[in-house]
Amino acid sequence: MTQAPTFPDVYLYDTLQRRKVKFEATSPGRIGMYLCGPTVYSDAHVGHAKKEVAFDVIRRYFMHLGYAVRYVSNITDVGHLQNDSDDGEDKMLARARLEQLQPMEVAEKYFWSFMDDMGRLNVLRPSIQPRATGHIGEQIALVQELIARGHAYESHGSVYFDVRSWPNYGVLSGRKLDDQEEGTREEVRTEKRDPRDFALWKNAEPGHIMRWDSPWGEGFPGWHIECSAMSLKYLGEGFDIHGGGLDLQFPHHEAEIAQSEAAGHPFARYWMHNNMLTIGGEKMSKSKGNFTTLQDLYRRLDPMTVRFLLVSSHYRSITEFNDDAFVSAQNGYRRLTEAKGEVERRLASAAEHDDSALVTRIGAHRDAFEAAMRDDFNTPEAVAALFGLTRDVNAALAAGIGRAGLQAAHDAYRELGGDVLGLFMEGQSDTQDDAQMLDTLLELVLQARQNYRLNKQYAESDALRDRLAAVGLTIEDTRDGARWKK
Ligand SMILES: Nc1ncnc2c1ncn2[C@@H]1O[C@H](COP(=O)(O)OP(=O)(O)OP(=O)(O)O)[C@@H](O)[C@H]1O
Ligand SMILES: [Zn+2]
């Protein structure tokens, strides 16, 4: 008989229980995770990256422990209104009008830019990435179940969740019903039995182009219902972990729990929330306009340095985004990659050497890294363990190191820094090294050409230029000297 694999204990902070708890998977060795994804109506900013990287690291750590993780993250392409309170224009439609595009063109454009931005950050692709518009049937079915059980009602072609019928409403955010306020437009207010009821389905007014047939007439789903319908569809009842930004705890996540459980479907067992990335102490957000898109940031900062900056603070801590944070991320990341690069270079021609003391110390740094990650994914402590490793590795590189030490260091960088924290993209160091080498070689070539010209050996200097042109490299003479370009 084969032994069932065992997994080390992992403690995570569960927002629902408001404390750190030991994680227990529902099915042995398997984890279902759901993360509220983007509304694809504009380019992603650094705040979005904090959330994506936070949950990517959690997923990667479980994978590193040997779990099979099904990671579902939705794409919102309908129903997210400009106000959280069931009124305002659909964000997709507003953008479509502005850019003179079809809403689905907007969705397509920003979906791919999101994927590209997160890909450069080495965020693993979700196992399933369901779109709200592709799951209208599932959403309607869930709304019907809620009506049948007496937890939702139809009003003027819209359907609302009846919060008074569900005493558990408020369980996640800890808000008591009487303390909750809903500032809604007067018309919407009169459609609701209680101003705190939230929309499950909205009647589409004439001219509203995103519309689908439903038992209540033509309309479109409310924003919250998609996450219940799609997480239950792909992960099943009582799935393991639901994640998202702390700002979504209320009303979005509260609504997700209410509408799933009131329909008779036990929902997520653990709730995890990342804190906010702030700028000048305020949440970076699209609507506040205080955001830096990832595309802009990548012009100044290598994406891996951005990722390093994000994992250097805990997912439940606020990350303040400023120039000091950039500089220390650049320095810190360079320290790691330089040591890692040197280890790789030396490994190719390593000799035997007594590395037993170093190997023991590397083991201790690995243990510290694992202990930090098992304690609610404490990435700043895990990064500190990588720095501890780097100090020892640098000392050994200076004093003498052999194959065993280099291999142990290499494995630690690859598995902990690479696989778990996602800080090293495959092939990344090679391309960087190649680019650097090309730069150095061409500097030498330009120098040689300059010497020919000083000696009036124009035939030789032209021949050099022509040989470079033949392989697609152009030399430009500028006032500041010669430059090369691809
Ligand atoms: N500054 C931030 N820090 C961390 N997570 C964020 C930040 N901004 C948004 N998120 C997360 O990204 C996801 C999508 O957010 P959303 O599209 O609402 O972005 P937003 O910039 O807050 O937009 P808006 O201002 O229009 O609400 C949510 O899970 C949210 O928690
Ligand atoms: Zn959601």
Side-chain angles (χ1 to χ4, degrees), residues 27-42:
S27 351
R30 297 187 167 275
I31 294 179
M33 270 178 92
Y34 184 87
L35 178 69
C36 290
T39 304
V40 280
Y41 74 100
S42 68

Side-chain angles (χ1 to χ4, degrees), residues 118-136:
M118 297 309 158
R120 291 177 71 185
L121 273 181
N122 207 14
V123 171
L124 299 175
R125 291 200 180 164
S127 329
I128 306 176
Q129 212 163 9
R131 294 191 187 198
T133 52
H135 297 77
I136 300 291

Side-chain angles (χ1 to χ4, degrees), residues 274-299:
N274 64 279
N275 212 323
M276 295 294 107
L277 182 116
T278 58
I279 185 150
E282 261 202 89
K283 178 199 165 193
M284 181 179 282
S285 99
K286 275 180 288 207
S287 44
K288 285 203 199 93
N290 61 349
F291 60 90
T292 304
T293 64
L294 288 168
Q295 283 160 28
D296 279 345
L297 188 61
Y298 293 161
R299 288 190 198 106

Side-chain angles (χ1 to χ4, degrees), residues 102-336:
Q102 282 286 328
M104 284 302 102
E105 279 179 292
V106 173
E108 210 56 29
K109 175 175 170 185
Y110 292 109
F111 167 72
W112 286 110
S113 86
F114 180 85
M115 294 307 284
D116 195 35
D117 291 347
M118 297 309 158
R120 291 177 71 185
L121 273 181
N122 207 14
V123 171
L124 299 175
R125 291 200 180 164
S127 329
I128 306 176
Q129 212 163 9
R131 294 191 187 198
T133 52
H135 297 77
I136 300 291
E138 286 84 346
Q139 296 176 75
I140 291 176
L142 193 54
V143 177
Q144 284 177 306
E145 289 178 70
L146 286 165
I147 295 177
R149 287 172 168 253
H151 295 295
Y153 56 91
E154 194 226 318
S155 172
H156 302 91
S158 294
V159 182
Y160 294 98
F161 185 87
D162 180 359
V163 292
R164 294 213 168 268
S165 75
W166 190 248
N168 253 349
Y169 190 69
V171 65
L172 180 70
S173 59
R175 296 192 194 203
K176 302 231 167 24
L177 202 52
D178 292 335
D179 301 340
Q180 296 168 17
E181 282 198 24
E182 272 280 0
T184 34
R185 203 159 38 98
E186 206 43 48
E187 286 151 66
V188 179
R189 228 172 226 281
T190 53
E191 285 184 6
K192 296 181 179 181
R193 289 184 191 160
D194 185 295
R196 290 154 297 194
D197 292 349
F198 58 87
L200 299 166
W201 184 263
K202 292 277 287 177
N203 168 49
E205 283 163 18
H208 190 105
I209 54 176
M210 297 180 87
R211 54 202 300 140
W212 289 264
D213 259 341
S214 83
W216 319 286
E218 286 193 351
F220 57 94
W223 170 40
H224 314 304
I225 195 78
E226 66 175 88
C227 286
S228 294
M230 300 194 293
S231 59
L232 288 167
K233 174 172 172 124
Y234 295 112
L235 296 171
E237 292 181 345
F239 63 88
D240 296 296
I241 298 173
H242 191 309
L246 202 54
D247 56 334
L248 295 188
Q249 200 180 329
F250 188 89
H252 184 59
H253 292 159
E254 196 71 66
E256 281 188 40
I257 297 176
Q259 69 207 355
S260 307
E261 302 210 329
H265 306 296
F267 205 50
R269 293 166 51 246
Y270 301 94
W271 281 84
M272 298 183 74
H273 289 95
N274 64 279
N275 212 323
M276 295 294 107
L277 182 116
T278 58
I279 185 150
E282 261 202 89
K283 178 199 165 193
M284 181 179 282
S285 99
K286 275 180 288 207
S287 44
K288 285 203 199 93
N290 61 349
F291 60 90
T292 304
T293 64
L294 288 168
Q295 283 160 28
D296 279 345
L297 188 61
Y298 293 161
R299 288 190 198 106
R300 286 190 283 155
L301 218 55
D302 167 62
M304 282 299 101
T305 309
V306 178
R307 183 165 177 122
F308 181 80
L309 186 157
L310 294 171
V311 300
S312 298
S313 73
H314 191 247
Y315 77 94
R316 282 195 296 120
S317 303
I318 285 173
T319 308
E320 172 66 14
F321 181 73
N322 57 28
D323 285 349
D324 288 350
F326 283 12
V327 173
S328 74
Q330 266 169 327
N331 292 338
Y333 187 60
R334 195 175 311 127
R335 222 165 356 126
L336 290 186

Side-chain angles (χ1 to χ4, degrees), residues 7-20:
F7 298 93
D9 290 349
V10 171
Y11 288 81
L12 55 81
Y13 185 87
D14 178 16
T15 319
L16 202 54
Q17 301 184 54
R18 293 175 184 74
R19 62 187 176 93
K20 265 188 213 171

